[in-house]
Amino acid sequence: MWEYILWGVIFVAALAVEAATMSLVSIWLAAAAVVTFFVAAAEGAFWLQCLIFVVLSLLLFLLTRPLTEKFRRKKPVRTNADSVIGMEGVVRREIEPLQGGRVCVGGLDWSARSSQSVPIPVGSCVVVEKIEGATLLVRPAEAPKQA
């Protein structure tokens, strides 16, 4: 009788941990506890119950973890300032190698520097390569991208 309680407690505890973390850390233990509960109901020896629990937990973990990791990894969504990387803009104030200038990207005015340390005249089309603080690092649109 006490085995039922043990496997029930393990099942509930594993589900509670899973619900609290939502990161698939104990779902395998919960599934193994359910199967082991039925082994206990069939009056299997306690050592057999423990063996089934451990082996099934490991098996479920090893077989399903790569699949669950694939679904958990999501491509990060670029938000706010990061969303301008790769966009084109127009130079509003000449970009000097040491002083920088201003560009309009996505309808917003930004402080900008040349990523190639070359002057870029007003009206030139540029591509945003990265952001440092509140300053865009840009290159002329016709220039090849640096590696």
Side-chain angles (χ1 to χ4, degrees), residues 32 50 56 86 120:
C50 292
L56 191 56
I120 304 173

Side-chain angles (χ1 to χ4, degrees), residues 34-49:
V34 168
V35 172
T36 308
F37 179 86
F38 288 111
V39 172
E43 298 185 11
F46 185 68
W47 68 267
L48 179 63
Q49 295 172 33

Side-chain angles (χ1 to χ4, degrees), residues 124-141:
S124 298
C125 190
V126 292
V127 176
V128 179
E129 290 190 327
K130 73 185 224 183
I131 299 175
E132 287 183 354
T135 302
L136 303 181
L137 290 177
V138 298
R139 65 174 166 81

Side-chain angles (χ1 to χ4, degrees), residues 78-87 103 105 108 110-113 115 127-139:
R78 288 161 64 180
T79 58
N80 299 331
D82 287 338
S83 65
V84 300
I85 295 174
M87 291 179 68
V103 296
V105 178
L108 298 173
W110 290 85
S111 171
R113 287 192 338 241
S115 63
V127 176
V128 179
E129 290 190 327
K130 73 185 224 183
I131 299 175
E132 287 183 354
T135 302
L136 303 181
L137 290 177
V138 298
R139 65 174 166 81

Side-chain angles (χ1 to χ4, degrees), residues 90-96 102-103 118-126 140 142:
V90 178
V91 177
R92 296 289 183 212
R93 190 172 80 210
E94 182 175 7
I95 299 173
E96 298 288 333
R102 305 292 296 180
V103 296
V118 295
I120 304 173
V122 173
S124 298
C125 190
V126 292
E142 63 275 358

Side-chain angles (χ1 to χ4, degrees), residues 4-136:
Y4 303 130
I5 296 170
L6 172 68
W7 301 119
V9 167
I10 290 174
F11 173 73
V12 170
L15 284 183
V17 169
E18 192 60 47
T21 61
M22 298 291 287
S23 60
L24 298 174
V25 295
S26 64
I27 196 72
W28 303 277
L29 299 175
V34 168
V35 172
T36 308
F37 179 86
F38 288 111
V39 172
E43 298 185 11
F46 185 68
W47 68 267
L48 179 63
Q49 295 172 33
C50 292
L51 180 68
I52 288 173
F53 178 76
V54 169
V55 169
L56 191 56
S57 295
L58 286 173
L59 249 167
L60 288 171
F61 175 77
L62 293 174
L63 294 176
T64 60
R65 186 68 177 183
L67 180 65
T68 58
E69 282 299 310
K70 183 197 270 187
F71 289 111
R72 284 183 47 210
R73 275 189 226 121
K74 294 181 181 173
K75 188 176 181 182
V77 177
R78 288 161 64 180
T79 58
N80 299 331
D82 287 338
S83 65
V84 300
I85 295 174
M87 291 179 68
E88 290 190 357
V90 178
V91 177
R92 296 289 183 212
R93 190 172 80 210
E94 182 175 7
I95 299 173
E96 298 288 333
L98 297 176
Q99 295 177 334
R102 305 292 296 180
V103 296
C104 181
V105 178
L108 298 173
D109 186 61
W110 290 85
S111 171
R113 287 192 338 241
S114 173
S115 63
Q116 300 171 343
S117 297
V118 295
I120 304 173
V122 173
S124 298
C125 190
V126 292
V127 176
V128 179
E129 290 190 327
K130 73 185 224 183
I131 299 175
E132 287 183 354
T135 302
L136 303 181

